[in-house]
Amino acid sequence: RDNDLNMGISNPANLNSDMSGHIIFNQGFLPSGIAYGQAGYSHEFDSIGVFSFNFRYLTYGEFTRTDESGVKQGTFTASDFIISAGYGRVINQYFSIGANLNLLTSAYDTYTAFGMSVDLAGTFRHEKSNITMSLMFKNLGFQFKSFTQKNQEPLPVNIMLGLAYKFHKAPFRLGISFHNLQNWNLAYQDPNSTTIDPITGQVIPTEKPGFGEELLQHMSFSLEAIISKTIFIRLGFNYHRRQQMKILDKPGAAGLSFGGGFSIKMFRFSYGLAFYDGRGLNNVFSISTNINDWKKRGEIPQKSEKKKKTKKKKKSEED
């Protein structure tokens, strides 16, 4: 929980007065021409709380349209869009709450779908011990227009729990997050995977994932190094993503991510890189600024100009 509006949009319970007036622009790039981005703004209303407004999009690029015989019939595109409004309020020195209202739309060629969802979150923060905990219910909602008639699809509900600890005498912050807690069985089991005993020739049943494996499938880990007030470096590892995306003989860095950011005057720049497999990289760029800082900066020359006029007036009166 800091002044990064990206964190406030992801978790509305983290919206706070330090984010008021912030504007963010994010742009991400995935393989095969897939791109996504976000623009957001937050504003604090006294005695009410902090509100956020953001727009997100994801475009899958251009596809070739063919008939059942494979004859080309032009091209088409596919995209997803989300318009969101968020609200966060600090209850007391320990607890804060928040919610997002999301309007969802998808346009795949001539097919469209619309939906609505809410995200509900609560955060506990103990400043003396530098511990932060958050619980979030994400994507609670429904689809009120499906791609085809009488084929409504459920939204991907996600119950998440996050823990963070900042060392008192070292510039490091550790984080552990749990995702998809509403579904314990995340480990993939290949239904066609069989093992034959070379002696007896009998089929050996595939061993089911144990408790430890299933638990790790829900966990992500992070480490942040706070170099200074204006520079930070982050490292993350998502075990579930690694197991889902790695190539068996060449797992590489699947599941790992790292990034960093720095501030120059009134701008904050961030970059992140996530590894999906050997070729699947996710690059994200972010820039943010606070319009309140621009307003304050604009007041300085006005005040100095006013002082000059006052001095001239006094001098003319003395003359």
Side-chain angles (χ1 to χ4, degrees):
R1 182 178 177 272
D2 53 21
N3 64 346
D4 186 356
L5 181 55
N6 287 295
M7 298 299 174
I9 290 175
S10 299
N11 180 358
N14 285 341
L15 287 170
N16 61 84
S17 57
D18 291 337
M19 298 178 183
S20 182
H22 279 246
I23 300 175
I24 59 168
F25 296 97
N26 300 338
Q27 184 62 52
F29 300 95
L30 289 164
S32 303
I34 301 175
Y36 62 95
Q38 174 177 270
Y41 170 73
S42 64
H43 185 82
E44 181 183 26
F45 293 90
D46 294 339
S47 73
I48 298 178
V50 181
F51 289 82
S52 68
F53 308 91
N54 75 94
F55 169 78
R56 282 169 282 176
Y57 79 91
L58 193 155
T59 176
Y60 301 96
E62 192 174 73
F63 298 84
T64 301
R65 181 189 287 109
T66 64
D67 61 14
E68 61 274 14
S69 302
V71 179
K72 294 183 179 180
Q73 297 181 335
T75 60
F76 67 94
T77 60
S79 303
D80 294 320
F81 304 94
I82 302 177
I83 299 176
S84 299
Y87 170 73
R89 182 179 178 84
V90 176
I91 303 300
N92 54 40
Q93 63 177 330
Y94 299 115
F95 294 97
S96 60
I97 58 174
N100 286 330
L101 175 63
N102 311 302
L103 299 178
L104 320 169
T105 178
S106 296
Y108 302 163
D109 194 10
T110 58
Y111 299 92
T112 58
F114 299 93
M116 179 182 293
S117 71
V118 294
D119 307 324
L120 304 176
T123 293
F124 168 81
R125 186 186 186 196
H126 196 277
E127 291 191 14
K128 288 186 178 180
S129 59
N130 285 342
I131 293 177
T132 304
M133 301 174 59
S134 281
L135 176 64
M136 187 171 181
F137 296 83
K138 195 173 181 66
N139 298 324
L140 302 172
F142 58 93
Q143 186 184 60
F144 52 80
K145 182 187 181 301
S146 56
F147 290 107
T148 57
Q149 292 184 354
K150 299 180 180 180
N151 187 34
Q152 281 198 330
E153 299 168 308
L155 298 187
V157 176
N158 191 355
I159 300 177
M160 309 169 73
L161 175 67
L163 310 171
Y165 172 72
K166 166 71 170 60
F167 289 96
H168 287 83
K169 297 183 179 180
F172 297 105
R173 181 183 287 116
L174 296 176
I176 300 177
S177 63
F178 300 83
H179 58 89
N180 288 293
L181 295 177
Q182 79 287 347
N183 179 19
W184 175 249
N185 299 314
L186 291 183
Y188 175 73
Q189 289 183 273
D190 187 353
N192 300 315
S193 177
T194 57
T195 304
I196 307 297
D197 190 308
I199 299 177
T200 63
Q202 295 180 344
V203 177
I204 301 175
T206 303
E207 184 178 355
K208 293 183 178 181
F211 176 84
E213 174 66 20
E214 289 288 6
L215 180 62
L216 284 171
Q217 291 278 346
H218 291 270
M219 300 177 68
S220 297
F221 307 89
S222 65
L223 172 64
E224 180 179 21
I226 306 168
I227 308 301
S228 67
K229 291 183 178 180
T230 58
I231 302 175
F232 65 88
I233 300 173
R234 292 170 178 163
L235 176 68
F237 177 66
N238 186 320
Y239 183 82
H240 177 67
R241 179 180 294 164
R242 180 173 180 82
Q243 297 305 313
Q244 294 290 309
M245 303 297 294
K246 70 179 182 180
I247 300 174
L248 292 179
D249 54 343
K250 294 181 179 180
L256 283 172
S257 60
F258 69 88
F262 60 91
S263 298
I264 298 180
K265 293 185 177 180
M266 290 181 291
F267 290 96
R268 182 175 183 173
F269 301 90
S270 301
Y271 169 74
L273 175 64
F275 296 89
Y276 288 169
D277 57 32
R279 293 173 294 177
L281 301 178
N282 181 7
N283 293 275
V284 188
F285 300 87
S286 177
I287 181 173
S288 66
T289 188
N290 190 337
I291 61 173
N292 293 328
D293 293 338
W294 290 90
K295 290 179 180 178
K296 291 177 182 178
R297 186 176 182 181
E299 290 174 359
I300 296 174
Q302 293 176 6
K303 290 181 179 179
S304 60
E305 189 68 29
K306 190 174 180 180
K307 288 180 179 179
K308 287 180 181 178
K309 289 181 179 179
T310 304
K311 287 181 179 179
K312 285 182 180 179
K313 187 177 179 180
K314 287 182 177 180
K315 188 176 181 181
S316 62
E317 287 176 353
E318 288 174 359
D319 294 340

